[in-house]
Amino acid sequence: MTHTPVAPRGSGRQRREPGEVFGGGFALFADMLLVGLLTSVACLPVVTAPAAFSAASATLRGTAHGGVQISVRGYAGELRARLGARSLLAGFVPPLVALLLFLDSRLVGTGLPGARVLAPVLLVLALGAAVVGLRATALEAPHRLTAREGLIRSLADPRGSLLLAGAVVLALLLAWAMPVLVPLLPGPLAFAATAVDLRSPTGRPAP
């Protein structure tokens, strides 16, 4: 009589499957790279950026919940499901906000009174807008691409928002130090937004 070996409790996904060269951690890293590249390509028209990040979050969420393997076809399906008039209109918001912040920064550079106070305020506003935008793209149905819900969750989960803000700052530093990594950065950002949404009380699925 043979007995099937049972992995010790708490060991998680430590053993490799037959033929698997690297462990599960490397597979997750490769998935993030693939999602990052796909998201970067989908963001090229600019106005498709919200739908692209939302599709990235949904793809990563499907892997976390159901173990769905990440693929180009799967991501493309999620992207098609999110492309619409509403998401395209939302796609005009990031460039408009960026343009407004750029114009304000130029005014600050002219030496206007209160420029020393306004400069850090602009940085905080830009970082806050990025956090709210990422949390909005990481929302699960029926709250897809809802800026209001993204703001509510950002305020209701300050610790998660701080974690996501740190991810944004780290991504900016990497983009500045190594511009060659820019096409890969959307993947880790989408992963961070999805993880923060899953860990927050409002983002957990009902039992």
Side-chain angles (χ1 to χ4, degrees):
M1 182 175 181
T2 59
H3 298 276
T4 303
V6 179
R9 183 174 297 180
S11 61
R13 174 70 162 83
Q14 299 296 330
R15 295 188 177 183
R16 299 172 185 172
E17 297 295 331
E20 186 179 6
V21 180
F22 300 100
F26 187 86
L28 176 61
F29 177 72
D31 286 343
M32 280 199 302
L33 293 184
L34 177 59
V35 170
L37 287 174
L38 294 174
T39 306
S40 294
V41 172
C43 286
L44 288 178
V46 180
V47 294
T48 57
F53 272 89
S54 181
S57 178
T59 302
L60 293 169
R61 192 186 294 268
T63 300
H65 282 167
V68 180
Q69 185 177 3
I70 292 179
S71 64
V72 176
R73 179 179 297 180
Y75 178 86
E78 296 288 354
L79 181 62
R80 284 194 301 268
R82 283 158 175 77
L83 280 176
R86 182 176 180 178
S87 65
L88 293 177
L89 286 176
F92 285 99
V93 175
L96 289 176
V97 172
L99 178 60
L100 180 61
L101 292 173
F102 174 75
L103 294 177
D104 288 341
S105 65
R106 298 293 293 179
L107 290 175
V108 169
T110 59
L112 292 175
R116 292 183 178 180
V117 177
L118 186 58
V121 171
L122 288 176
L123 290 176
V124 172
L125 288 177
L127 187 58
V131 170
V132 172
L134 285 173
R135 296 205 73 151
T137 59
L139 295 173
E140 197 172 16
H143 302 295
R144 290 181 182 174
L145 294 176
T146 305
R148 179 176 177 273
E149 184 67 20
L151 178 60
I152 291 174
R153 296 199 181 193
S154 298
L155 296 176
D157 181 26
R159 181 178 298 180
S161 297
L162 286 176
L163 291 173
L164 192 52
V168 173
V169 172
L170 180 59
L172 291 175
L173 290 176
L174 287 174
W176 172 75
M178 293 177 285
V180 70
L181 295 180
V182 169
L184 303 177
L185 293 179
L189 284 176
F191 179 84
T194 306
V196 166
D197 188 69
L198 288 175
R199 65 168 288 281
S200 64
T202 54
R204 294 172 185 166

